[in-house]
Every structure is written in structure tokens, then in C-alpha cells.
Amino acid sequence: MPLHINTPLIESRPLSVTAKRSVWLKLDALQPCGSFKLRGVGYACEIHHQRGATHFVSSSGGNAGLAVAYAGRKLGVPVTVVVPETTTERAKELLGLEGAEVIVHGSSWQEANQLALTLLSPTKAFIHPFDDPLLWTGHATLIDEVAQAGQKPDAVVLSVGGGGLLCGVIEGLMRNGWQDVPVIAAETEGAASFHAATEAGQLVELDRISSIATSLGAKRICEQAYQYSQTHSIQSVVVTDQAALKACKQFLVDHRVLVEPACGAALALAYEPHLLGEYQNVLVVVCGGATATLEQIEQWSSKYDR
Ligand SMILES: *Cc1c(COP(=O)(O)O)cnc(C)c1O
């Protein structure tokens, strides 16, 4: 039994009417820990557990850390998550709820990650948030479920942070014989590391992350995501934080599900349908995210209402 669940696949009436085409939603916001991350992280943790790992270590204060904490609790394996001082109270609270040990260290993710790496041993497994083939193989189950439902889309819309979801979705398309299905990769301004790499024609590192969509805040995408940009049809689209926030709020009204701005970036494409091109039957990966409260979303949005 995998740790993730088979999530609902629904045709969204409000989004289909707005976008004047069929918009299907893969509702991974409904995974037990609130995001698609459980697919890959759960799979990686199971493999490490089978190989004898007695402890899982993560350096993500976001949804990847939450997924590791959830997987560890389910497998009976203790989890340590090292997070920087910038991590929100809400995120620490959620990690605590899953029973993980939380160590706060350093002012940036780099510093937290460095400490996390010193905690490793042959039986303590480090679970990377996006750059690991085990993770991609787990994420690919999202497309397996869509294929099992017989709903081949014209295009898949998803958000890109470090590119783990992108690699998993493309692996899933390929293993289901859907390698001809293009991907539309959404990012926010200030976190657009995939866009920067495709523009530069090589992997590049952003100087800093300035978007509120912190779950997209990888300064550099993984090598495999860049490789796929050379071999698979991937269109890069960048939206503003404001558009991502607006999509979060409208999605809450339309589908009664609260998601992070990281997910709002992908949803924004369906709410601004000129960004979807000619595709008539679109699958949007509702990747979810548990770390933003409604209060936080409203606080961020108030900046644009003035
Ligand atoms: C991690 C995450 C992303 C980005 O996934 P990557 O694999 O890093 O590209 C998008 N949305 C949410 C909610 C996430 O947690």
C-alpha cells in the first residue's frame, strides 16, 4: 500500500466556463499532508525503509518536510527536520503535529541544509525535496491515475519549483505512452528558475527568491528538469504573485479548497485562459500546499488592494 492516496480527478465547471474549454483538475491538495509531495517522498521513504534506514532527515520547512514527517510517522521511523529561522510558526506547528523533531538553525535554507547533512549516517536517510529519481518515480503515479481514468489531456499545467513535479509528470506521461502530451510550466516572478534556465539555454542560479510562493523558491532547477526541456514539449509561463493570489482566492470560492500561491501559479493560467493557448482539454495539477493560512493569503493580497 503506498502512503499517498488516489486523488479525485474532476472536470471543473467554473474553470471550464471561465477558460472556454475543458479544464480537468487532479486534486492533490487532498493528499493527507496537503500536497502532491507525498507521492514522491512517500515512495522514497518506503524504499529507504526497506533498505534499512532507521531515521529520515529533511531540511524543508515546507511541504516536502511535511511529507517526510507524515511518511515517517506512518512507517514508524523517527524524522528530524532542520529549518531556518525564517520558517513560519504555522509550518513548525504542522511538523510538530506529525511528530517530527524540528531543529531551527541558521538564517537561510543553505545553513539549515548544511546542518541537516551533518546528521546523516549509513542508516539515516536524507530525503531531498525535488532532486532525486525515487521522488520522480513516485510523483509519476499522478499521471498513472489519470491514464487509468482514460482521460488523456491535450496539455498538462503544473507549477515548477525545483522541478521534481515536472520530472515526475513527464516520467508518468512517458510510462503511459503519452510522451506527445505537452506540459505548461507555471512559475511566479521572483521564483522563475525554470524560465531563467530555458532563456539562458543552460542551468542557471537565481541571485535570490523574491516571490511569496515560497514552495517554488528553488534558486536552481534540477538537471533532469533542464534535460527534459530539451527533449519534451514544455512551455514556460511566468505569472505575478498577484495573479497567483487571486487564483487561490477564486479557487477557494469555486472549489472550497485552500491552496498555497505556489499552486495558485498553475491555477492562474486557467483563470487567465489566454495563457493556455489553443489547448481544448487541459489537465491542471492542483499541487496544493499546507503552509499558507487564509489569514496569510488575505494579508498578502491586501498589499494589492490599496
Ligand atoms: C514543492 C511544491 C511545488 C514545486 O514542486 P517542485 O518539485 O519543487 O518543482 C509546487 N507546489 C507546491 C504546493 C509544493 O509543495
Side-chain angles (χ1 to χ4, degrees), residues 142-143 153-158 169 173 181-185 282-285:
L142 188 148
I143 297 297
D154 294 345
V156 180
V157 177
L158 50 75
V169 162
L173 291 172
V181 176
V183 172
I184 306 179
V282 175
L283 173 72
V284 180
V285 176

Side-chain angles (χ1 to χ4, degrees), residues 120-287:
L120 300 183
S121 75
T123 61
K124 291 192 176 179
F126 181 70
I127 312 295
H128 197 278
F130 58 82
D131 195 2
D132 177 353
L134 288 178
L135 228 58
W136 310 330
T137 297
H139 292 338
T141 56
L142 188 148
I143 297 297
D144 294 341
E145 290 166 19
V146 180
Q148 273 149 25
Q151 287 293 340
K152 185 177 180 183
D154 294 345
V156 180
V157 177
L158 50 75
S159 301
V160 175
L165 176 61
L166 176 76
C167 290
V169 162
I170 292 180
E171 186 170 326
L173 291 172
M174 294 196 308
R175 78 185 183 195
N176 286 283
W178 285 359
Q179 56 283 337
D180 57 323
V181 176
V183 172
I184 306 179
E187 295 173 292
T188 49
E189 282 172 11
S193 46
F194 180 76
H195 188 75
T198 53
E199 289 281 286
Q202 60 181 42
L203 278 178
V204 287
E205 182 157 321
L206 302 179
D207 295 334
R208 63 190 196 101
I209 298 297
S210 57
S211 169
I212 55 157
T214 49
S215 295
L216 303 187
K219 286 190 191 166
R220 175 204 287 260
I221 55 165
C222 59
E223 168 80 34
Q224 182 63 62
Y226 181 72
Q227 289 304 326
Y228 279 139
S229 77
Q230 305 297 299
T231 58
H232 197 98
S233 167
I234 309 176
Q235 192 185 322
S236 165
V237 179
V238 179
V239 303
T240 60
D241 276 354
Q242 186 177 13
L245 282 167
K246 203 173 147 209
C248 289
K249 291 201 288 184
Q250 192 57 44
F251 192 69
L252 181 59
V253 172
D254 287 342
H255 284 285
R256 305 155 307 278
V257 174
L258 182 69
V259 297
E260 288 181 16
C263 177
L267 292 170
L269 271 54
Y271 286 115
E272 305 276 347
H274 63 277
L275 297 171
L276 288 177
E278 295 303 305
Y279 303 115
Q280 288 306 307
N281 183 22
V282 175
L283 173 72
V284 180
V285 176
V286 184
C287 49

